[in-house]
Amino acid sequence: MTDPRTEPAPEDSLSAAPAGSPGGADLTGAAAPMKLPRTGPGKDERGKDLIREIMTGSGLVSVLAVVVALLIGAVLIAVTDARVAAAAGYFFAQPGDTFAAMWAAVSEAYGSLFRGATYDPTARTWLGQLGIFETLTFATPLILAGLSVTIAFRAGLFNIGAQGQIILGAIFAGALGFGMQLPPGIHLLVVIVGGAVGGAIWGGIAGLLKARTGAHEVIVTIMLNYIAVNLVLYLLKNQLKDPASSNPVSPPMPGSAVFPLLLGPNFRLNAGFILAVLAVIAIAWLLNRSTLGFEFRAIGANPNAARTAGMVVSRGYIVVMLISGGLSGLAGVSQISGTERSLDADVAGNIGFDAITVALLGRSTPWGTFFAALLFGAFKAGGTSMAVNADVSIDIVLVVQSLIVLFIAAPPLIRAIFRVKSPTINPPTIKPPTISAQATRGAAV
Amino acid sequence: MKSVPASDTNLRMVATLKLELKGITKSFGSLVANDRIDLVVEPGEIHCLLGENGAGKSTLMNVLYGLYEPTSGEILVDGQAVKFSGPGDAMAAGIGMVHQHFMLVPVFTVAENVALGRESTGLGGVLDLEQTRKKIREISAKFGFNVDPDAVIEELPVGVQQRVEIIKALVRDARILILDEPTAVLTPQETDELMDIMRQLTAGGTSIVFISHKLREVKAISDRITVIRRGKVVGTADPSASTTDLASMMVGRSVNLSLDKAPARPGEEVFRIRNLTVMSDDGTRLVDDVSFAVATGEILTVAGVQGNGQTELTEAVLGLHRHVRGSITLDGHELVGRSVRQVLDAGVGFVPEDRRIDGLVGAFSIAENLVLDLYGKKEFSRGSMMNRTAIAEHAARKIEEFDVRTPSAQAPADKLSGGNQQKVVLARELSRPLKLFIASQPTRGVDVGSIEFLHKRIVAERDQGTPVIIVSTELDEVLELADRIAVLFAGRLMGIVPGKSSRDLLGLMMAGLSADEARAQLSATTTLKGEPS
Ligand SMILES: Nc1ncnc2c1ncn2[C@@H]1O[C@H](COP(=O)(O)OP(=O)(O)O)[C@@H](O)[C@H]1O
Ligand SMILES: [Mg+2]
């Protein structure tokens, strides 16, 4: 996935002073590696192209992937259903029964999934009836972490480290939450900023290592995930442990440091969702309207042209990873100040990894990510209701989610394996003919 | 050399096809890529489709090959109207095509690629390649292709890959072969080999539709030439037609193939390179102790065979290289050690050697590419916010001024033809006041009409008093633009000679002789032969 032409060396335009001596500056001694030779799109290029194609293809592919995944999910539901199996026993006598049973199983399962995620008049509790708010609640950290993956990706970095950045965000937010006493509004603000900083540090490390040494962000962020998991475990056994509990959990967040509930005590939906929506708007503006976003996109799409145009690619990597990490940190805040309200080792759940899928499904655009996160939130909210009401294993949701990834990723993957150019992708750069020295000499003499 | 006249072929070759396209129109939305095109390809002839990039040549051939359905019009094969709903039909009718961009599976062998789509399986469903291998050897021997059926595609040179594409068509009994810009990817030697192959193929009875925008090749190989401009046939010509006439037909106005430029009026030498050495990571000297100066109002071209340090020289000026020793000054200000942004801000306009890799962001719109190094300037941003209106207006102006052929300013740059992409890069770099303009390979892969235009723009920039450095491996271009010529060999400066120097002199210098040595050798040869060169 490395771009052979990507120069990892720092090029800080601010600090580079014009050489004063008439002999000019001798930079040979500098430890920074020199620009690597430029080659045409070669083998190493393919990995990067592949990921770009998977992450940024058309939105239609996403929609179709979801539809097909749901259809296959339906088949699985049908064939694993007990009534269908019973009816299939006399299939040749009365095939209609089998099909009717299939339809019943699938419509019941998806019906309760849909109702559980939106509105179910038959449920006993308010919370159960208005599943839509659970959907939004589950979507909140996914939106923020999905944005984190999205923005890094737009600058050409594959941030696998949302998980670790969420954990760091939650640690910082938690420490500032139950470790301090501040007036209500200010306390929450401090917690939010602190969480963002925590995530930004974790993301920034990956960005810095990428920029200074060329260390691949995928490897670094995976490593940082492990460190984060063990760090939070350590802290929960020591500094951040709730003295009143024998388990490795932190004290609860004080009321001044949690997001206010938006719909009263019957619903978990909190102001974290508003934060997430604001983040979507902000990132959409940043990417599409701001000069910084222009730089990110240029660096992501063609770092060589970006560098030639005077952009500082290494600085771009650092800045985007700070922002990316910060967004994941906010996802951590939305967990600890929103739904969890205390820090435990599982504060990030699977959000950091689902975020990658969400960004992929959202085609690495802010609003695409938002809607993809809502879909995944709906799967989560409706999955439970499906398991309870239709007696269909909640694993079906997992299967559908995995199939979505498969359908989006598979076509480019297959093309990449066989190195067939996609019809929609640009033709390869044409190798310029070179005049051989021999021929020139022959012609000249 | 010309192939056998069409009438003779008719008598000799019964199996050949006569192909007629009548009133073919193909629109993509509002864009009419082909407009009522009539074309007759006689059996056994090499028929050339000549036209600028974007004229609609590939589209027409894709219609013929069944890849696109024509909006209207008909195709006649031997007088019979045919309708192709896919390449399969076209192949069945005896039409084969080698695309501009090859359609080969790089990890497969030659035989596997040829067999693809018409696999025959033997016992137990095992792929039977033996027959295919045999056929490849046959064809290869017959036409002197020299292709090993078991070679893996990605390990073959481009020229050989192209022959595999031709074999693919021949194996399917193609009697009309469409070659879409086959020479664009070839070296001059490979081009000559391809031309030999084409002649052998027509001698064997195959007709060829040869697509190109290179006049020299077209004149060398074709029996008849049809010129297409903006989707319409503008005329047919004999290969004996003059280059200027062909170019004018193609571009639609009279083209001056030789650039009229006023003599340079060099002023002060404001740009100086002193003892510049650029090293690779392993310490190889890519540019070795080079010193020269360029004055305002003159064009210095840098000649040399590809890979003799030209790229590194220009990149060192822009600040893209780390291991740089020596001094580069513009107006007395040192540029070595500055960042790219600082160098650009000092007034350097830079056109990189490879526009697709370094000059453009392919996924960005033309409008965005036109501000790729200007987006931070006051005109295009307010604070940290891009000024979209200003960017759009700028794009509209530059598209107009540089005649960039595109449906809209929002089209992604990688959808443009090479010539139009290059216009975008030049338009951007020339859109601010410059103190130095450096362009590498400014017209590589660019069609005739655009070359003329780009050269004029470069000379205009010189006439405004900007010092200009042009790096080119095309000797024609070097001679055309130069007021003075610097020749690089193995990173060293072989000397600077006047713009009107002879090709022989430059050739010797490009091969590693200093200007004096080269002159001495030349006068020795002429004395020996007893005639002036
Ligand atoms: N699939 C397509 N969709 C829309 N426009 C196209 C398509 N293919 C070609 N064009 C447009 O049609 C015109 C002719 O293109 P093409 O036939 O490729 O030109 P040529 O081969 O002569 O360089 C160009 O303006 C090009 O942008
Ligand atoms: Mg074409």
Side-chain angles (χ1 to χ4, degrees):
Chain A
M1 267 170 297
T2 36
D3 183 334
R5 290 177 272 105
T6 303
E7 176 188 7
E11 329 157 39
D12 195 332
S13 70
L14 297 174
S15 69
S21 68
D26 179 2
L27 299 181
T28 330
M34 207 199 73
K35 200 159 92 131
L36 296 167
R38 287 158 184 247
T39 50
K43 286 187 185 177
D44 303 323
E45 197 79 327
R46 273 185 206 121
K48 187 148 200 163
D49 284 350
L50 169 64
I51 292 189
R52 183 173 305 150
E53 198 184 341
I54 292 174
M55 293 293 290
T56 60
S58 100
L60 184 65
V61 173
S62 292
V63 174
L64 290 177
V66 170
V67 170
V68 177
L70 284 171
L71 286 177
I72 296 184
V75 172
L76 287 178
I77 292 168
V79 300
T80 53
D81 187 78
R83 286 159 301 172
V84 174
Y90 54 92
F91 180 78
F92 292 104
Q94 262 181 313
D97 275 14
T98 309
F99 292 122
M102 281 180 167
W103 174 250
V106 171
S107 60
E108 192 181 325
Y110 280 168
S112 48
L113 177 76
F114 181 74
R115 284 190 299 275
T118 54
Y119 173 64
D120 184 358
T122 62
R124 282 186 308 275
T125 62
W126 275 106
L127 183 64
Q129 278 192 13
L130 286 164
I132 180 72
F133 297 123
E134 269 304 273
T135 295
L136 300 183
T137 308
F138 279 123
T140 301
L142 283 175
I143 295 169
L144 288 163
L147 280 179
S148 159
V149 177
T150 284
I151 192 167
F153 190 76
R154 292 299 286 275
L157 297 182
F158 205 33
N159 180 11
I160 306 287
Q163 189 77 2
Q165 293 148 19
I166 293 170
I167 293 174
L168 261 285
I171 291 175
F172 272 60
L176 292 168
F178 44 73
M180 290 172 81
Q181 277 174 348
L182 290 168
I186 297 172
H187 199 178
L188 181 59
L189 204 65
V190 166
V191 164
I192 292 173
V193 172
V197 168
I201 291 173
W202 226 232
I205 292 173
L208 192 71
L209 288 175
K210 169 96 182 176
R212 297 275 147 170
T213 68
H216 203 289
E217 76 278 5
V218 168
I219 312 283
V220 173
T221 50
I222 289 175
M223 294 302 168
L224 286 171
N225 283 346
Y226 284 112
I227 298 175
V229 167
N230 289 296
L231 179 69
V232 72
L233 273 175
Y234 175 83
L235 290 175
L236 285 172
K237 283 180 189 151
N238 300 286
Q239 289 82 349
L240 299 184
K241 188 174 180 314
D242 183 358
S245 165
S246 56
N247 296 324
V249 293
S250 76
M253 294 288 273
S256 58
V258 298
F259 285 118
L261 294 173
L262 293 180
L263 299 164
N266 286 328
F267 296 96
R268 297 198 302 156
L269 186 66
N270 56 70
F273 180 71
I274 293 173
L275 180 71
V277 173
L278 290 177
V280 175
I281 295 168
I283 297 301
W285 180 88
L286 178 80
L287 275 177
N288 300 321
R289 296 297 188 97
S290 75
T291 51
L292 187 63
F294 186 78
E295 288 183 15
F296 287 166
R297 288 185 293 124
I299 290 170
N302 185 348
N304 297 295
R307 181 180 304 111
T308 308
M311 299 174 196
V312 185
V313 175
S314 52
R315 194 174 52 198
Y317 286 155
I318 297 174
V319 174
V320 84
M321 282 308 291
L322 285 171
I323 297 176
S324 174
L327 285 163
S328 281
L330 288 180
V333 176
S334 84
Q335 283 290 90
I336 193 167
S337 291
T339 46
E340 305 293 307
R341 308 221 162 174
S342 68
L343 185 65
D344 66 24
D346 197 30
V347 67
N350 211 31
I351 294 164
F353 302 111
D354 283 346
I356 298 168
T357 314
V358 163
L360 170 113
L361 186 61
R363 290 345 215 157
S364 300
T365 64
W367 285 105
T369 304
F370 175 78
F371 289 112
L374 287 190
L375 180 72
F376 271 54
F379 279 144
K380 259 194 188 149
T384 329
S385 133
M386 179 178 79
V388 173
N389 297 333
D391 194 25
V392 170
S393 162
I394 198 162
D395 290 339
I396 284 286
V397 166
L398 209 62
V399 171
V400 170
Q401 287 180 2
S402 313
L403 284 171
I404 290 173
V405 176
L406 190 70
F407 287 128
I408 293 176
L413 194 63
I414 286 167
R415 272 200 292 278
I417 291 170
F418 289 101
R419 300 176 202 172
V420 184
K421 271 282 165 189
S422 149
T424 57
I425 296 286
N426 330 313
T429 313
I430 290 166
K431 182 174 140 272
T434 49
I435 309 168
S436 85
Q438 194 60 46
T440 319
R441 204 172 297 135
V445 179
Chain B
M1 196 200 104
K2 306 261 305 296
S3 67
V4 204
S7 51
D8 284 6
T9 331
N10 252 338
L11 297 175
R12 227 162 20 90
M13 296 294 158
V14 212
T16 50
L17 293 181
K18 176 171 170 141
L19 178 77
E20 283 173 88
L21 301 182
K22 279 195 177 158
I24 298 286
T25 298
K26 174 73 195 170
S27 332
F28 298 106
S30 61
L31 182 108
V32 185
N34 290 159
D35 190 358
R36 284 162 290 159
I37 288 191
D38 295 319
L39 182 74
V40 181
V41 182
E42 298 290 345
E45 75 171 354
I46 299 183
H47 194 116
C48 176
L49 273 189
L50 178 67
E52 286 194 282
N53 283 322
K57 308 179 295 286
S58 298
T59 304
L60 183 66
M61 290 304 113
N62 285 333
V63 168
L64 174 56
Y65 194 51
L67 280 169
Y68 293 156
E69 200 180 326
T71 313
S72 66
E74 59 176 355
I75 302 172
L76 304 177
V77 175
D78 279 341
Q80 300 282 316
V82 289
K83 212 165 162 54
F84 300 146
S85 54
D89 293 353
M91 276 187 246
I95 298 171
M97 178 158 178
V98 176
H99 290 268
Q100 203 162 351
H101 306 291
F102 303 157
M103 312 263 170
L104 297 168
V105 183
V107 291
F108 281 7
T109 65
V110 171
E112 284 165 342
N113 266 289
V114 172
L116 209 65
R118 54 193 298 285
E119 303 89 350
S120 50
T121 44
L123 275 181
V126 183
L127 191 62
D128 178 18
L129 281 178
E130 208 33 63
Q131 262 192 317
T132 315
R133 281 205 191 86
K134 220 175 98 206
K135 263 203 147 146
I136 294 172
R137 285 199 198 94
E138 266 172 39
I139 294 175
S140 184
K142 186 168 164 197
F143 298 111
F145 277 6
N146 201 10
V147 170
D148 171 12
D150 296 314
V152 175
I153 292 293
E154 64 182 352
E155 282 157 17
L156 294 175
V158 183
V160 180
Q161 292 188 15
Q162 190 169 59
R163 283 179 222 167
V164 176
E165 285 278 19
I166 296 177
I167 291 175
K168 262 171 72 182
L170 295 180
V171 163
R172 290 160 175 79
D173 295 321
R175 280 163 297 158
I176 296 176
L177 192 61
I178 304 166
L179 302 175
D180 193 354
E181 306 236 9
T183 58
V185 290
L186 301 182
T187 64
Q189 290 84 346
E190 284 173 326
T191 302
D192 291 342
E193 286 168 25
L194 175 71
M195 290 197 177
D196 283 342
I197 288 173
M198 286 167 64
R199 288 184 190 108
Q200 293 198 36
L201 287 171
T202 44
T206 314
S207 328
I208 295 178
V209 180
F210 173 72
I211 299 180
S212 181
H213 62 253
K214 297 187 187 166
L215 298 169
R216 195 181 60 79
E217 292 164 3
V218 167
K219 279 169 62 68
I221 191 80
S222 48
D223 295 313
R224 229 140 44 88
I225 302 169
T226 297
V227 185
I228 296 187
R229 186 173 72 233
R230 298 198 176 190
K232 292 195 172 91
V233 171
V234 289
T236 53
D238 265 357
S240 57
S242 78
T243 317
T244 325
D245 287 348
L246 286 175
S248 307
M249 271 174 93
M250 188 163 121
V251 183
R253 60 191 155 77
S254 63
V255 179
N256 215 337
L257 287 175
S258 59
L259 183 73
D260 302 314
K261 70 178 179 26
R265 278 175 292 150
E268 199 188 332
E269 292 189 333
V270 290
F271 178 73
R272 280 178 188 283
I273 290 182
R274 284 193 210 91
N275 306 103
L276 183 74
T277 296
V278 179
M279 295 214 262
S280 71
D281 263 346
D282 58 18
T284 321
R285 287 165 177 255
L286 303 168
V287 175
D288 193 356
D289 199 22
V290 167
S291 305
F292 64 83
V294 189
T296 54
E298 76 160 342
I299 299 177
L300 177 83
T301 56
V302 179
V305 174
Q306 181 83 32
N308 275 287
Q310 302 97 315
T311 314
E312 290 75 14
L313 176 72
T314 58
E315 289 178 351
V317 175
L318 196 68
L320 284 166
H321 260 282
R322 312 242 123 227
H323 305 292
V324 174
R325 223 180 286 186
S327 146
I328 303 171
T329 54
L330 181 59
D331 272 346
H333 299 292
E334 180 62 50
L335 295 184
V336 172
R338 297 230 192 162
S339 72
V340 177
R341 176 62 46 78
Q342 288 171 326
V343 172
L344 291 172
D345 286 347
V348 175
F350 184 82
V351 176
E353 178 177 315
D354 192 324
R355 55 183 167 261
R356 289 202 197 197
I357 293 178
D358 299 315
L360 294 167
V361 177
F364 273 21
S365 70
I366 295 167
E368 286 177 311
N369 271 295
L370 280 168
V371 294
L372 201 61
D373 55 9
L374 307 168
Y375 62 95
K377 300 275 169 291
K378 273 201 305 293
E379 310 108 88
F380 300 119
S381 57
R382 278 170 262 142
S384 58
M385 182 155 156
M386 310 271 288
N387 183 345
R388 287 190 176 188
T389 329
I391 292 171
E393 282 167 9
H394 175 72
R397 268 199 315 277
K398 290 296 151 188
I399 287 173
E400 163 91 41
E401 184 185 340
F402 280 79
D403 189 25
V404 179
R405 304 275 165 80
T406 169
S408 100
Q410 295 312 314
D414 56 13
K415 292 278 180 283
L416 292 182
S417 68
N420 284 310
Q421 288 181 341
Q422 192 70 340
K423 284 179 183 173
V424 171
V425 178
L426 256 90
R428 178 180 73 218
E429 296 306 310
L430 292 176
S431 63
R432 59 206 155 99
L434 293 181
K435 294 219 174 89
L436 173 70
F437 180 64
I438 307 181
S440 289
Q441 311 292 357
T443 60
R444 174 181 282 169
V446 169
D447 47 281
V448 188
S450 308
I451 289 179
E452 185 200 13
F453 177 81
L454 295 173
H455 280 176
K456 281 197 174 135
R457 290 298 311 210
I458 290 168
V459 173
E461 190 64 27
R462 175 201 76 169
D463 291 343
Q464 282 177 21
T466 309
V468 176
I469 299 176
I470 301 293
V471 175
S472 180
T473 50
E474 301 281 337
L475 216 44
D476 287 339
E477 180 161 59
V478 164
L479 287 164
E480 187 132 317
L481 287 173
D483 296 319
R484 289 190 299 148
I485 304 172
V487 184
L488 281 184
F489 173 78
R492 280 175 292 122
L493 185 65
M494 292 295 108
I496 296 187
V497 295
K500 297 265 180 317
S501 301
S502 75
R503 281 166 192 268
D504 293 351
L505 179 72
L506 293 172
L508 286 173
M509 289 171 73
M510 282 158 76
L513 267 57
S514 76
D516 291 340
E517 286 166 349
R519 282 199 193 97
Q521 183 164 337
L522 277 180
S523 60
T525 352
T526 39
T527 343
L528 270 181
K529 283 186 187 160
E531 57 189 34
S533 63

